[in-house]
Amino acid sequence: MICLSRCRSFVLVLCFFFALMNFPAADARIRRFKWDVRYEYRSPDCVKKLVITINGQSPGPTIKAQQGDTIIVELTNNLMTENVAIHWHGIRQKGTPWFDGTEGVTQCPIVPGTTFKYQFVVDRAGTYLYHAHYGMQREAGLHGSIHVSLPNGESEPFRYDYDRNIILTNWYHKSTYEQAVGLASKLTTTSLDAGLCNVTNPECSSPFTLTVVPGKTYRLRISSLTALSTLSFQIEGHNMTIVEADGYFVEPVVVQNLFIYSGEKYYVLVKADQDPSRNYWATANIVSRDPSNTPPALAIWNYYPNHPRRSPSTGPPTGPACNDTAPRKAQSKALRARQGYVHPPPPMLDRVIVFLNTQNQIC
């Protein structure tokens, strides 16, 4: 199922969630967090199952900081029978590679009943992710967002009225152990149950609703933590303008479908400029793989003052064909560093890294 921050079960989750934090006035502050990681029962789509929570939340709390701040997270592993490690996706870890969180590579795992302290500097503004890096724990709900703002006196090269956060990820009815065995046995056999769920309200509910004010512009922080799937995200009848990719400002690119791969982060600007007398669909669709077992994730783009549960008058838009690679290539080729924010590569190369794509079959 595909989950949209109120999700339902295969389940790509469009997780819309927010965390409240206080920001002291001084520069280069230290942000301290204490996390209790444990299994708890949840039924976001009316199917009760175990999920991994941080301080009772899944997804976990959003870390908010400013460029140059030091993040300290004291994590206590109360999973009882499982190790744990947290990877800080997109954080460069300059001078602190041992806190990168890759279990078995940069750190020993955090064993049950013990506490480990992560400490690192967020040296670049943007939206990043954190997630478990042990087995398939991130697909059991152990993940969240990191929001890093620009230093005082600096501003982003674009304007918006409101800010929203979206995470797309997988949500399975089966345990992560069952999913891992299925994926290891045959790449395309994993069964995904369909539906919509609401991960911010722990009991089953209607599709997630994002309420917008006519005429206002919204910045959507969209990121993906899918296990395998590439996604196409769209809002019915609305254009999206890509203005940032993975922590770097880019020249504006207007798209109707945002193609996003696991681990990627984008800022898109969306103006609520359509007929305000009705609501619209927001959808996420699987691409590159056979989508027949995975219905699209659905959410409602709700124009105020329409009732938030009022269904759109049209059917959800269909996503692009799973084997249509042309628009995906076009999006990648269109992304260019924004003028005035170009970071040139080093003049000398120390080594060459060759990447091998092991997925050579589309759909």
Side-chain angles (χ1 to χ4, degrees), residues 245-320:
D246 287 325
Y248 293 96
F249 297 128
V250 298
E251 291 294 331
V253 177
V254 178
V255 297
Q256 290 183 323
N257 292 278
L258 176 70
F259 295 99
I260 186 167
Y261 299 78
S262 186
E264 290 186 332
K265 292 86 61 183
Y266 289 97
Y267 289 171
V268 299
L269 303 181
V270 184
K271 186 171 184 179
D273 58 1
Q274 297 301 300
D275 179 5
S277 67
R278 52 161 295 194
N279 292 336
Y280 299 81
W281 291 109
T283 65
N285 294 271
I286 293 286
V287 295
S288 293
R289 295 177 178 273
D290 183 357
S292 59
N293 291 326
T294 308
L298 298 177
I300 295 177
W301 184 260
N302 165 234
Y303 271 80
Y304 179 83
N306 298 329
H307 195 286
R309 294 192 179 184
R310 177 181 173 186
S311 293
S313 57
T314 56
T318 58

Side-chain angles (χ1 to χ4, degrees), residues 89-104:
H89 200 108
I91 304 301
R92 293 186 286 188
Q93 299 290 357
K94 290 185 175 181
T96 53
W98 43 84
F99 290 132
D100 185 58
T102 308
E103 178 271 329

Side-chain angles (χ1 to χ4, degrees), residues 5 36 160 229 262 272:
S5 197
D36 171 29
Y160 55 90
S229 308
S262 186

Side-chain angles (χ1 to χ4, degrees), residues 85-128:
I86 300 293
H87 173 57
W88 313 93
H89 200 108
I91 304 301
R92 293 186 286 188
Q93 299 290 357
K94 290 185 175 181
T96 53
W98 43 84
F99 290 132
D100 185 58
T102 308
E103 178 271 329
V105 179
T106 61
Q107 75 166 89
C108 295
I110 307 168
V111 299
T114 64
T115 298
F116 182 81
K117 183 174 76 172
Y118 290 98
Q119 181 170 332
F120 53 87
V121 174
V122 287
D123 67 329
R124 186 176 61 182
T127 295
Y128 305 102

Side-chain angles (χ1 to χ4, degrees), residues 149-337:
S149 61
L150 289 166
N152 293 335
E154 296 186 24
S155 60
E156 296 155 326
F158 46 82
R159 294 176 178 240
Y160 55 90
D161 299 298
Y162 298 103
D163 193 26
R164 298 291 184 267
N165 189 54
I166 299 172
I167 296 180
L168 301 100
T169 188
N170 301 106
W171 186 259
Y172 302 101
H173 281 168
K174 292 183 178 180
S175 72
T176 55
Y177 297 103
E178 292 174 294
Q179 294 297 334
V181 170
L183 293 170
S185 300
K186 187 178 179 182
L187 190 62
T188 58
T189 56
T190 302
S191 175
L192 303 173
D193 301 312
L196 266 290
C197 59
N198 170 10
V199 297
T200 58
N201 184 349
E203 299 306 322
C204 52
S205 181
S206 57
F208 175 84
T209 299
L210 196 157
T211 299
V212 297
V213 177
K216 299 298 184 180
T217 297
Y218 290 78
R219 177 182 59 183
L220 304 183
R221 304 170 183 251
I222 303 177
S223 52
S224 174
L225 277 175
T226 57
L228 290 172
S229 308
T230 304
L231 303 178
S232 166
F233 174 77
Q234 62 182 312
I235 301 172
E236 179 190 10
H238 293 72
N239 288 329
M240 295 178 285
T241 303
I242 302 172
V243 293
E244 192 253 29
D246 287 325
Y248 293 96
F249 297 128
V250 298
E251 291 294 331
V253 177
V254 178
V255 297
Q256 290 183 323
N257 292 278
L258 176 70
F259 295 99
I260 186 167
Y261 299 78
S262 186
E264 290 186 332
K265 292 86 61 183
Y266 289 97
Y267 289 171
V268 299
L269 303 181
V270 184
K271 186 171 184 179
D273 58 1
Q274 297 301 300
D275 179 5
S277 67
R278 52 161 295 194
N279 292 336
Y280 299 81
W281 291 109
T283 65
N285 294 271
I286 293 286
V287 295
S288 293
R289 295 177 178 273
D290 183 357
S292 59
N293 291 326
T294 308
L298 298 177
I300 295 177
W301 184 260
N302 165 234
Y303 271 80
Y304 179 83
N306 298 329
H307 195 286
R309 294 192 179 184
R310 177 181 173 186
S311 293
S313 57
T314 56
T318 58
C322 65
N323 60 354
D324 185 3
T325 60
R328 282 175 264 165
K329 292 179 180 178
Q331 176 180 304
S332 297
K333 291 179 179 179
L335 295 177
R336 296 287 186 273

